[in-house]
Each structure stands twice: as structure tokens, then as C-alpha cells.
Amino acid sequence: MGTPSVSLPGGTWTLGDLTVTRFGYGAMQLASPWVMGPPADREGALAVLREAVGLGITHIDTADAYGPRITNQLIREALYPYSDSLHIVTKVGATRDEEGGWPPARKPGELRRAVTENLENLGLDTLDVVNLRLGDAQGPVPGSLAEAFGALVDLQRQGLIRHLGVSNATAEQVSEARSIAPIVCVQNMYNLAHRHDDDLIDELAEQGIAYVPFFPLGGFSPLQSSALTAVATRLDATPMSVALAWLLQRSPNILLIPGTSSVAHLRENAAGAGLPLSDDDLAELDKIGR
């Protein structure tokens, strides 16, 4: 859908047999606030998705629980028929309630229904990557994922899913998943201030498995750090650009999916993530979450 108007930073990564740009786009913010209901500016939301592809982004992250169904329907309206190079990663394992909560939905029948709804709303016959969302809104929760992950493996064998991953998972759950079937990515909360997965990132890098941080800019509460602000001021950049650039330079297996509902902000994120950070910058930033 056009040639990239911004050179995307970070190059590419391979999810199984799928090559994606390391700088991707997360569609969660396209729905209304708190990820419930349609966007106030529908045409604006469609424009953001088209701009993402126009910039050369080939990795879009979504979930049928966003809206619910809203973001997947927007993706289909904006981008269908999809180019061969575009890969959509979705997740299952949670639904939405009327209060805006995220109750788990990980029984085999619930997962099959979620995969079917993702296929229908995206207009696909096979989902490129499906992450099993574990834990709760507070973070990962220990416990076996065998029954739920096994249900997704069955759907993969039936041709409905190409590749599998896990989200909001403990290191032990990642290991358990890998003992059941290959995974291509882990999607957990991680950013400059939340560094609990440092060891896991390095281990996954050695295995050729992607790590995809959600809330790379802090989530609903943006990252706040005097050290981050100091580095940004010195580089005449925004703190958010520095935070994204740090993630790309942290490890080659980190894929970014910052979300926004603004075309201008999307462009700023794409350009900012390519900010070169010196060894001194990296050393100063490295102290934030330690």
C-alpha cells in the first residue's frame, strides 16, 4: 500500500517463517477509552492503520477482546485484502465484562470460540500468530498452562493457527509451553522501569524467540524518570523516543508494538525509535529499572 515514508528502525525479525518489522503497531488504543466501544473518530482510526502499513510496518498486534471486536473489525475495514507481507498477531484467553474487566476465558471451548471470532472479524482462514494470554490485569499468575495451551496446539494442527506464543506469562510458564509445542514469541509487560524479565529476554534471544513488550511506554500512566528526562533533554528528543530506542537496542529479539490513535504520534514513534543512543546514554538509562 505504497512505499515507506519513514525508514523503520530496528530492521526485521522472523516469527517462525514470517518476517516482520521489529517496529510494529499495537491496535489496542483504536477502541474507545479503557478499550471498550468504538472510537470517537472512526475515520481517524482507519487512517492510523493505513498509515502504519504505508510506513512499512508489517507487524500489527491486536485481540478480539479489544472493543470487544472493534479493533479487529477496524483492521479488516482499513487493510483487507491484506498484503502478503503484513502479519497480524492476536491473543486469546480473556474476554470482557460489562464493567470493562478482563475475566479469563481459557477453557478449550472458550479458546476455540475466541479463535473462530478472531478469524471471522479479521476475515482470515488462518491466524498468523496467536498468543495465549495468562495471568490477570495485575500481571502473571503462576500455574500450569497445559490444558489451555494444548487446546491451541489442537487448533494449530487443524490449520486455524500458524504459530503460537504466550502473553503475561511467568518464566516457568514459558518453559512449560515450549515443552508442549514450539513458540515464536513471548509478550509481557516490560519497559525501562519494569525490568523483571531481563534474564528471560536474554534466554529467548539465544533460542531465536521474540520478546514483545506490552506497555513499552508505561501504559495508561506514561513512564516517569528523571534519568530518562535528562537523557532526552541532552539528545533533544522526547522521553518516549528514548524509551523506544532503548528497547530496540536492549536486545535484537525485542519487537515493539507501541499503540496510538494519532497518525502524527505514530510517525513520531517510528522516527523516535531510531534515535541512536551512546554507551553512556545506555549506561545511564540502564540504572532506571535496576
Side-chain angles (χ1 to χ4, degrees):
M1 297 182 66
T3 56
S5 49
V6 172
S7 179
L8 290 173
T12 60
W13 182 265
T14 303
L15 297 170
D17 60 347
L18 308 175
T19 299
V20 298
T21 50
R22 286 184 65 209
F23 185 89
Y25 172 71
M28 185 174 77
Q29 292 188 27
L30 293 182
S32 281
W34 305 109
V35 206
M36 288 290 284
D41 180 3
R42 185 178 185 85
E43 289 306 313
L46 297 173
V48 169
L49 287 163
R50 291 172 181 140
E51 178 70 7
V53 172
L55 291 174
I57 289 170
T58 63
H59 173 200
I60 292 179
D61 180 83
T62 185
D64 217 49
Y66 296 164
R69 295 174 294 282
I70 298 295
T71 62
N72 280 355
Q73 292 168 358
L74 289 168
I75 289 168
R76 182 175 185 173
E77 181 176 348
L79 304 177
Y80 189 89
Y82 308 112
S83 71
D84 291 341
S85 63
L86 180 66
H87 301 296
I88 299 171
V89 177
T90 189
K91 65 185 72 63
V92 296
T95 185
R96 304 305 300 278
D97 58 29
E98 292 181 0
E99 290 73 43
W102 303 79
R106 298 183 199 121
K107 296 188 185 322
E110 295 172 322
L111 293 170
R112 170 173 281 280
R113 183 164 58 251
V115 166
T116 299
E117 289 174 351
N118 273 278
L119 288 167
E120 290 174 351
N121 285 312
L122 288 167
L124 293 168
D125 296 321
T126 303
L127 297 170
D128 280 337
V129 183
V130 174
N131 286 310
L132 174 63
R133 185 186 189 275
L134 300 161
D136 57 28
Q138 280 66 55
V141 175
S144 176
L145 51 65
E147 181 184 32
F149 194 70
L152 292 184
V153 173
D154 288 341
L155 295 172
Q156 183 183 39
R157 292 185 182 124
Q158 294 168 35
L160 301 181
I161 300 170
R162 192 160 187 161
H163 298 295
L164 296 170
V166 292
S167 176
N168 206 28
T170 66
E172 291 75 22
Q173 288 165 336
V174 172
S175 294
E176 185 183 15
R178 294 183 61 205
S179 73
I180 297 169
I183 63 172
V184 298
C185 56
V186 173
Q187 189 180 101
N188 278 1
M189 183 174 178
Y190 181 85
N191 54 50
L192 262 173
H194 294 85
R195 302 283 299 278
H196 50 280
D197 271 355
D198 273 332
D199 291 343
L200 178 61
I201 289 170
D202 296 338
E203 177 187 335
L204 293 173
E206 292 176 2
Q207 303 296 327
I209 297 171
Y211 184 94
V212 188
F214 63 76
F215 293 155
L217 299 176
F220 295 112
S221 300
L223 286 170
Q224 302 290 331
S225 163
S226 57
L228 177 60
T229 301
V231 172
T233 300
R234 189 166 68 238
L235 298 176
D236 192 25
T238 66
M240 298 302 99
S241 292
V242 173
L244 290 174
W246 177 83
L247 282 167
L248 276 185
Q249 294 183 53
R250 163 67 181 81
S251 182
N253 67 323
I254 288 183
L255 311 184
L256 297 186
I257 50 167
T260 178
S261 57
S262 156
V263 167
H265 190 208
L266 173 64
R267 285 176 156 274
E268 288 171 9
N269 282 343
L275 183 73
L277 300 175
S278 70
D279 289 344
D280 287 344
D281 297 330
L282 292 170
E284 190 169 344
L285 294 168
D286 202 46
K287 297 174 185 174
I288 292 174
R290 295 226 178 252

